[in-house]
Amino acid sequence: MNNPESSDRGSWGSKIAFIFAASGSAIGLGSIWRFPLFVGLNGGAAFVFSYLLAVFFIGFTVMLAELTIGRHTRKNPVGAFNFIKPHTPWKLVGYMGVVTGVFILSYYSIIAGWAAGYFYKTITGAFRGQVSWNNSAAIFTKFAANPLEVLICLFIIIGLTSYVISKGVKGGIERWSKILMPVLFVLIIILAVRAVTLPGAGPGLSFYLKPDFSDFNLKVILFAIGQAFFSLSLGMGTMMTYGSYISKKDNLVSSAGWVCLSTTLIAILAGIIIFPTLFNTLQLTPDKFKQEFEVSTGLMFQVFPIIISKMPGGYFFGILFFALLLIAALTSTISMLEVPTAYLVDERKWSRTKAATLIGIVSFLLGIPSALSSGGVKFLTKFNYMIKMDLVFGNIMLAVGGLLISLFLVHTWKVKNALKEISHGNSRFWLKGLWVFDIKFLVPIAVIIILIFIKTLAG
Ligand code: TRP
C-alpha cells in the first residue's frame, strides 16, 4: 500500500501481493466444498472436464475484464460504471453486485460455520481413532440438523467477517493468509497423496478423471460455467474492486492467469482427496456411485474426517486442516462483504462500522432459513432451500453479472480502450485474439444459453 502513483487510494505493494489477495478471495469453500459437490451431482469427470474449459474460456476472460475495468477506473463497481458512462442505468449492474454479494454471504457463511463447527469438533476429539463412513455421516447429519449449533456458528462467521471489515484490519488478515494459504496447499497435497495410495483408489479416480461421453449434457456444462464464476469470485464486482488497487506497472493478463491456475489446482486436488477416499470406504464403482449414492451438501464434511483419520498424527492434521479451511473461507467472506461495504462507504458516505454492522445483520437474518434447511426445519429441508439460494445467486446472478460486465466492456467502453488499459505492464498479450473473441461472443452466448435453459438447471 505504498505505491506513490495512487497515494490517496492505496494499491497493492506488488504484483505478488495482488495475486495472493485475489487468490485468497477466490480459493475457499467454492473449490473445496462446492466443486466436489457438483462433481458428485453431475456425473464426475464430465463435470471436471467442462469446468476446466469454462475456467479457461469464460472465467479467465471475465476476470481480465473485471480487473481491467477496475484498474482503469480505480473505483468500487457502482462508481466504476458511473465513471466510464455517467448517468446511465449501467450503474444498476453495480447495485446488482451489491445485492448478490449479501445473498451469497448469507448461505456461504453457513458452510463456513460448518467448518468452524468441525474445527471445534476435531479439537474435542470427535474424530479420534479410525473414522468409518457411518460414523462420519451420522456426525454430520446430527450437526447440520441442530438449529442452535448451526445458528451459533453462522453468527460467529458473520460476526468475525463484519468485525474485520469494520475495523479495516483486512491488511492484517491478508498478511496472515499469505503464510497460511501455502500451508493449506501443502496439506492438501499430502492428503491427496494419501488418498490416491488407498487400496481401491482406482475406481474413484476414474469416476473423477476419466470422462464418459454419455455423461456430458447441457446441465453439466451450465453448472460448470456457474462454478467457474463462483470459484473465481466473478460476476459481482469483487475482482473489479481488487483490480482497482493494481498498479499500472503490473501485468493484468498473467495476474489473472495465476489466480485462475491456483484456484483450479486447489479444486482439482480437493476432488482427488474426496473421490478415492469415498470409493475406498464404501467400495464403490463409478456405476454403483451413479445409481446408489446420494450426494449431499455434507459431502466434504463426511469424507475429510475419514482420510484425516488414516494419516499418522491425524488428530493434529485434522485441527490444522479445519483451521486452514476456516481461514480460507473467511478470506472469501471478507471479500464478499467488501463490495457492499465499499459501496455504502464511498457512495453513501456511511461509516465503515455502520455499513459492516448493518450488512452483517441483514446477512444473518437472510441466512436463517438456509441454516435450517439441512434437517433443522422439515419443509425448508424438503424444499432444498440453501441449494435453491445457491442456484439463483451463486449460478444465475453471477452469470448475468458476468454477461452485463462483458456487454458493458464491448459495447460501451469499447474493446480498444480495454486493450489499451491491458497494455500497461504488458507489452505482448499473446492471448489477445482469443480474449477478444471470448468477451465479444463466447461469454454472452454461453450466459444467454444458461438463461434460456434455466429450467434445466432447476430441475
Ligand atoms: N470464490 C469464493 C470461493 O470459491 C467465494 C467468493 C468470494 C465469491 N467472493 C465472491 C463468489 C464473489 C462470487 C462472488 O470460495
Side-chain angles (χ1 to χ4, degrees), residues 245-426:
Y245 302 110
I246 301 181
S247 145
K248 291 275 188 208
K249 291 195 298 293
D250 289 338
N251 185 331
L252 293 179
V253 179
S254 62
S255 300
W258 280 111
V259 178
C260 291
L261 189 70
S262 61
T263 309
T264 308
L265 219 52
I266 294 270
I268 294 292
L269 285 167
I272 289 189
I273 297 169
I274 287 182
F275 293 99
T277 306
L278 182 66
F279 278 54
N280 158 280
T281 312
L282 293 176
Q283 301 186 338
L284 293 165
T285 60
D287 286 335
K288 216 164 136 194
F289 178 89
K290 287 175 201 165
Q291 283 151 20
E292 292 170 19
F293 188 79
E294 222 174 286
V295 183
S296 87
T297 49
L299 183 65
M300 76 141 282
F301 293 93
Q302 292 160 338
V303 177
F304 267 89
I306 299 175
I307 188 74
I308 287 165
S309 80
K310 293 185 194 297
M311 303 290 297
Y315 178 68
F316 293 101
F317 261 113
I319 293 175
L320 186 61
F321 174 75
F322 283 109
L324 292 170
L325 180 69
L326 185 56
I327 290 161
L330 282 169
T331 54
S332 301
T333 53
I334 290 165
S335 83
M336 260 172 237
L337 188 58
E338 178 82 4
V339 174
T341 307
Y343 162 70
L344 289 174
V345 172
D346 288 356
E347 313 278 320
R348 302 259 153 162
K349 309 289 171 236
W350 285 32
S351 75
R352 267 191 102 71
T353 310
K354 186 173 157 199
T357 310
L358 179 89
I359 303 164
I361 293 171
V362 171
S363 322
F364 179 78
L365 295 176
L366 287 173
I368 293 175
S370 290
L372 302 177
S373 72
S374 296
V377 169
K378 243 204 197 116
F379 80 91
L380 290 170
T381 310
K382 245 179 110 189
F383 183 66
N384 239 334
Y385 183 86
M386 186 164 72
I387 289 289
K388 296 249 158 61
M389 293 289 284
D390 181 56
L391 175 69
V392 174
F393 294 99
N395 282 308
I396 297 168
M397 291 299 278
L398 294 179
V400 172
L403 167 72
L404 293 171
I405 290 167
S406 307
L407 291 178
F408 175 77
L409 188 148
V410 172
H411 299 283
T412 303
W413 189 33
K414 305 294 182 221
V415 171
K416 70 171 196 304
N417 292 320
L419 287 174
K420 197 166 137 216
E421 179 63 47
I422 292 173
S423 75
H424 297 297
N426 179 355

Side-chain angles (χ1 to χ4, degrees), residues 179-192:
I179 304 163
L180 294 174
M181 286 306 104
V183 180
L184 175 67
F185 197 68
V186 172
L187 187 62
I188 282 192
I189 290 179
I190 295 172
L191 291 175

Side-chain angles (χ1 to χ4, degrees), residues 25-26 28-31 108 230-231 233-234 236 238 332 335-336 398:
S25 162
L29 299 168
S31 296
Y108 191 96
F230 189 95
S231 66
S233 306
L234 299 172
M236 55 158 273
T238 303
S332 301
S335 83
M336 260 172 237
L398 294 179

Side-chain angles (χ1 to χ4, degrees), residues 156-172:
I156 292 173
I157 296 294
I158 292 193
L160 272 173
T161 306
S162 302
Y163 179 80
V164 168
I165 288 280
S166 72
K167 293 287 171 214
V169 290
K170 224 175 126 264

